[in-house]
């Protein structure tokens, strides 16, 4: 298993990214300004993480996804841990990640990785996505933002 930056001449794994964000238009809007890393297992891409610099010291994980057949193997946690390390190496102080109120497994994973809930944006998914989204039998309405605060060792 290795995580690496997607090369310029490589095909963007849009089907994989759409597992985490059902809007290709939303993905296209942030992808050109972001770093796209892929997780490979035996030379096959099974995961992806997209990181966008938001400010001088702040970054956001815009997308993190694992191929459905590879979920439950710890790859999501490995990519998030990689993302935290990448932001730390770049001198960042905060790393934001957001998900929907209906993304129960993701909310648990992000908190297990050290993220803290910092904001809720009501009706975000209703107002910004053309189609209704349902997960776990729950309508996805609100955007839950979580932040990882990177501590500098002095």
């Amino acid at each position: 298993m290795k995580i690496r930056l997607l090369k310029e001449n490589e095909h963007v794994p849009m089907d994989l990214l759409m597992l985490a964000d059902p809007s290709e238009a939303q993905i296209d809007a942030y992808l050109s300004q972001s770093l796209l890393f892929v997780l490979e297992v035996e030379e096959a891409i099974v995961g992806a993480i997209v990181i966008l610099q938001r400010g001088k010291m702040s970054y956001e994980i815009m997308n993190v996804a694992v191929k459905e057949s590879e979920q439950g193997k710890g790859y999501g946690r490995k990519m998030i841990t990689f993302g935290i390390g990448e932001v730390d190496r770049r001198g960042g102080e905060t790393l934001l990640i957001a998900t929907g109120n209906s993304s129960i497994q993701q909310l648990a994973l992000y908190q297990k990785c050290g993220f803290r809930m910092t904001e809720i944006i009501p009706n975000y998914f209703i107002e910004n996505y053309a189609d209704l989204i349902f997960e776990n039998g729950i309508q996805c309405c609100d955007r839950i933002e979580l932040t990882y605060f990177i501590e500098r060792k002095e």
Side-chain angles (χ1 to χ4, degrees):
M1 181 215 74
K2 73 175 179 177
I3 300 174
R4 64 169 178 81
L5 193 60
L6 188 75
K7 297 172 189 149
E8 282 187 38
N9 61 342
E10 284 184 285
H11 173 73
V12 172
M14 188 61 72
D15 56 336
L16 187 57
L17 297 176
M18 289 185 71
L19 291 174
D21 187 340
S23 170
E24 193 167 340
Q26 293 277 356
I27 294 168
D28 286 338
Y30 58 72
L31 203 53
S32 64
Q33 305 162 38
S34 304
L35 298 168
L36 170 55
F37 297 91
V38 292
L39 181 139
E40 288 181 329
V41 175
E42 298 176 7
E43 299 184 30
I45 294 174
V46 301
I49 183 168
V50 179
I51 301 173
L52 173 66
Q53 187 168 1
R54 287 283 189 194
K56 186 175 180 183
M57 306 295 251
S58 63
Y59 293 78
E60 181 175 352
I61 295 175
M62 301 299 295
N63 191 309
V64 60
V66 175
K67 189 175 174 182
E68 289 176 300
S69 63
E70 299 297 316
Q71 291 177 4
K73 297 180 180 180
Y75 296 143
R77 180 185 295 268
K78 286 184 188 330
M79 285 190 299
I80 291 168
T81 301
F82 172 87
I84 292 167
E86 187 65 26
V87 168
D88 187 18
R89 283 187 288 282
R90 293 172 181 270
E93 293 179 354
T94 60
L95 178 59
L96 177 78
I97 194 165
T99 193
N101 59 284
S102 56
S103 299
I104 297 166
Q105 291 87 352
Q106 293 88 332
L107 284 166
L109 174 61
Y110 303 154
Q111 291 176 87
K112 288 176 186 177
C113 290
F115 286 79
R116 302 287 310 270
M117 287 188 201
T118 49
E119 188 170 358
I120 298 174
I121 302 171
N123 297 319
Y124 178 87
F125 291 96
I126 294 170
E127 296 169 359
N128 292 285
Y129 285 76
D131 297 322
L132 296 178
I133 302 168
F134 285 86
E135 296 175 289
N136 302 303
I138 303 167
Q139 183 177 356
C140 184
C141 302
D142 308 324
R143 174 180 160 112
I144 311 293
E145 294 185 353
L146 301 95
T147 304
Y148 187 95
F149 299 93
I150 296 173
E151 294 182 28
R152 298 272 170 241
K153 295 172 179 71
E154 298 181 38

